[in-house]
Amino acid sequence: MRRGREEPGRLRGEPPPRWARIAPAAALVGLVLAQALTPGAELGFFLAGLPPVAAFAYGAGGTAVFAAVVLLLLGLPALGVGHARGTDLATVAAVGVLSVVIAWVRQRRDAQLVSVRTVAEAAQLAVLPPVPERVGAVRCSGLYRAAQRGTLVGGDLYDVRAGPHGVRALVGDVQGHGLAAVGTVAALLGAFREGVIDDGGLAAVAVRLDRRLVADAKAASVEHPELFATAVLLEFPPGLDLVRIVSCGHPPALLLRGAVVEELVVEPGPPLGLGFTGPPPVVAELSLRPGDQLLLHTDGVTEARDAAGHFYPLAARVPVLARDPGGLVRAVWRDLAAFTDGGPRDDVALLLLSLDGPG
């Protein structure tokens, strides 16, 4: 799949770990051996606790096998494990039946959970599908990490699309994060994809995105009317070695030119959703040389802190990380995770773009 987000399969149900399946069988063998080595001790009745344990790792059939084995070991004195009789044996049998029921219910719930999570995963990937390695004349590499565990989409967004006016890219950060921000993310991406096709200028795309958020904020169905987002938009015109940039209150992109890394100084416009009351956003142009790369990011990267409270120095780290054979964006994520001792608590988006000639 990928742009480096959480693996899709991690949202789906996974089988119990191997140790959970081995533990009941190992305990069964251990108790039988312990009883054989210490005939004077009464260890057999500990076996009655194994079927409920097995119910959490096995299905109804496997749990029934454990229950049957326990009943045989306790009900046949000739085996030398237990001497259960009458009500004791009936109690063990009842525990076994209850364990089978628990295993059956758990198995059904697990199947329902897998179905729900699979649908949720498909819906999230429909909102924010993976960025391809190449869009037209632009090479792309991206990484996304949502702050809310178990989700693929948070409050950050990015996309790269080819249209009649060239290849356009968007990186944004909406108010809030997690599932509550997904609706705003979907609205912005939908407006951006329309703008790639319909709008002749990059500033017009920014105005379209702003208008979308303003309209959503006025809708009665919106719980929080103060919707806004920061964003940076890029445009690679066809046949030209340059990039056009519009910033709407977003952290500046980084230009990697050889061993030199610098922030692109662009006159920022207001964040999206506040309403453009003045002139349209300023469009900056930058001539590109062969090998130039543009690294766009959200503030989840640069505002991440270490244990001492220091911010992550992205611009200072990029020259070193760019030499990583695994790719810059993945190297930045590994370095960021180590810097913050496990990863930042905000959504993170990284997008690396380079002009690479005709596709």
Side-chain angles (χ1 to χ4, degrees):
M1 166 156 172
R2 284 284 263 232
R3 52 187 174 188
R5 293 191 304 183
E6 299 292 343
E7 297 295 336
R10 77 180 291 275
L11 294 187
R12 299 175 182 167
E14 295 180 355
R18 182 175 297 179
W19 65 264
R21 299 177 65 84
I22 294 176
L28 178 65
V29 174
L31 286 171
V32 170
L33 290 177
Q35 183 65 70
L37 295 174
T38 56
E42 287 290 338
L43 302 177
F45 281 103
F46 284 105
L47 295 172
L50 293 182
V53 175
F56 290 98
Y58 290 85
T63 304
V65 170
F66 270 97
V69 171
V70 168
L71 279 175
L72 288 174
L73 291 174
L74 295 180
L76 297 178
L79 298 177
V81 178
H83 305 82
R85 289 289 184 274
T87 56
D88 290 337
L89 196 60
T91 300
V92 174
V95 170
V97 172
L98 182 61
S99 300
V100 171
V101 173
I102 292 173
W104 179 77
V105 172
R106 180 194 61 79
Q107 207 168 23
R108 283 178 56 87
R109 293 291 298 272
D110 285 352
Q112 293 173 349
L113 183 60
V114 168
S115 177
V116 170
R117 286 185 170 180
T118 301
V119 171
E121 176 184 315
Q124 292 179 73
L125 289 178
V127 171
L128 202 59
V131 172
E133 293 182 359
R134 188 183 182 102
V135 178
V138 178
R139 288 192 177 276
C140 315
S141 178
L143 181 143
Y144 194 108
R145 291 291 186 273
Q148 186 168 331
R149 188 173 181 83
T151 63
L152 296 178
V153 180
D156 290 355
L157 64 145
Y158 61 70
D159 200 4
V160 184
R161 297 276 166 160
H165 309 288
V167 176
R168 287 172 172 171
L170 165 69
V171 173
D173 184 357
V174 309
Q175 175 198 25
H177 57 79
L179 292 176
V182 174
T184 307
V185 168
L188 284 175
L189 287 172
F192 171 72
R193 290 160 188 168
E194 291 176 356
V196 167
I197 298 173
D198 297 335
D199 295 330
L202 195 60
V205 180
V207 171
R208 177 189 290 265
L209 298 180
D210 177 75
R211 193 166 60 242
R212 174 73 272 165
L213 286 190
V214 170
D216 286 352
K218 293 179 179 178
S221 59
V222 177
E223 182 179 356
H224 302 289
E226 63 278 9
L227 291 178
F228 68 89
T230 65
V232 60
L233 295 99
L234 274 66
E235 178 182 86
F236 298 86
L240 300 177
D241 294 331
L242 61 85
V243 61
R244 299 186 178 115
I245 307 171
V246 168
S247 176
C248 299
H250 198 77
L254 299 180
L255 171 65
L256 289 69
R257 179 167 285 170
V260 178
V261 176
E262 62 177 316
E263 290 186 350
L264 294 180
V265 179
V266 178
E267 183 177 343
L272 302 173
L274 302 183
F276 290 136
T277 56
V282 175
V283 180
E285 285 193 359
L286 173 70
S287 297
L288 295 178
R289 302 174 187 173
D292 283 356
Q293 298 181 89
L294 298 167
L295 180 63
L296 292 79
H297 60 89
T298 55
D299 61 10
V301 179
T302 51
E303 293 184 1
R305 298 173 182 258
D306 63 7
H310 300 123
F311 290 110
Y312 179 69
L314 176 63
R317 297 293 298 151
V318 164
V320 177
L321 299 174
R323 298 194 292 267
D324 191 299
L328 176 60
V329 293
R330 292 187 180 278
V332 170
W333 171 252
R334 289 193 298 268
D335 191 55
L336 181 62
F339 181 84
T340 56
D341 192 22
R345 297 183 179 180
D346 196 3
D347 300 318
V348 167
L350 291 162
L351 184 62
L352 184 67
L353 305 172
S354 61
L355 192 59
D356 196 39

